[in-house]
Amino acid sequence: MRPAFRLPAALLLCATVLSACAPAAHTSATAQGGILPDSAAPDERLVLAPPPAPGSAAQSDDDRVFHVTRALKDTPRWKLAQSDADLDPAHLVRDFSCAAGFEIDLVKAPHLARVLERIRHAVGHRTSDVKKYWHRTRPFVGTNLPICTSPEGLGLNASYPSGHTTAGYGMALLLAHLMPEHASAILQRGRVFGESRIVCGAHWKSDVQAGYLNASSLMDVLLARPELQDDLAAARQELLAMQGTAPAPEAGTCAVEHDAAIHSLLSEP
């Protein structure tokens, strides 16, 4: 009997894929702002194509990439993947500091936190629905090969699409929308974030590719919602103000991210 579907522990704690656990100081303001319902976002069961069929060429490629990338264990790229596995909103926003050129502090961006809180339900539930629908087994199941995080709470049959990729690329799309002057670097970092799930061994390559589309279709619709526009405009001003005062990102971290970006796991293995 296959294990029952379970959302990852981080998602259970935060009740979302993209972001929850917004700073407590903004809880009342968030509640007044109104969380967007599932109906505000597209049904990803219709948007996404099916995952690769067993025995297909696409599944063979997924198998190959999973096995090749196990050799990355304990490398700087592996450590970056471990860091990228943390979906705490403040940590997730900060992951884009090198791309933006300054340390992004969610505590100093209450309107950004509020946007994340207002979209969290729709993103989380739409992604959960499609994971349940496809019920795809994760690549490490049935092997003794290393993965970069504990399998506890991952949901052994919740592989497609990648929720972490949805979170990371969704954040990239949001920040690129707010800081279009840094969009290229931010979206590149979003790609790297998704590739970290391949490094981790928690997802197949095709899960990550589907995660990019999942995030893109969800965020394209949600960021156009009229009720978010005031908060989005205020969030941009928060980030612009922060840019003038925040410290520069740590150079060593930026170097690892840059190396990961130029050695894409979507094409190299």
Side-chain angles (χ1 to χ4, degrees), residues 53-143:
S56 65
Q59 183 58 57
S60 295
D61 186 54
D62 273 352
D63 290 332
R64 179 186 60 81
V65 172
F66 171 68
H67 284 86
V68 167
T69 51
R70 296 314 86 214
L72 292 171
K73 187 177 185 295
D74 297 330
T75 65
R77 185 66 184 89
W78 184 269
K79 293 175 182 177
L80 177 60
Q82 289 177 315
S83 177
D84 285 348
D86 186 348
L87 290 185
D88 174 78
H91 187 281
L92 180 55
V93 170
R94 193 166 57 248
D95 283 337
F96 291 87
S97 295
C98 291
F102 63 94
E103 286 287 343
I104 306 175
D105 185 352
L106 189 59
V107 172
K108 297 178 180 178
H111 287 278
L112 175 57
R114 193 163 99 140
V115 170
L116 294 172
E117 174 65 13
R118 294 185 69 183
I119 67 176
R120 69 175 177 84
H121 181 89
V123 174
H125 281 253
R126 287 305 199 190
T127 303
S128 176
D129 284 346
V130 74
K131 280 176 172 284
K132 291 176 184 177
Y133 185 75
W134 290 114
H135 201 70
R136 191 186 194 192
T137 302
R138 292 183 185 267
F140 61 82
V141 174
T143 79

Side-chain angles (χ1 to χ4, degrees), residues 19-54:
S19 178
C21 307
H26 311 306
T27 300
S28 60
T30 298
Q32 293 171 9
I35 292 173
L36 299 181
D38 292 3
S39 59
D43 186 342
E44 297 303 293
R45 294 170 298 182
L46 302 178
V47 175
L48 299 184

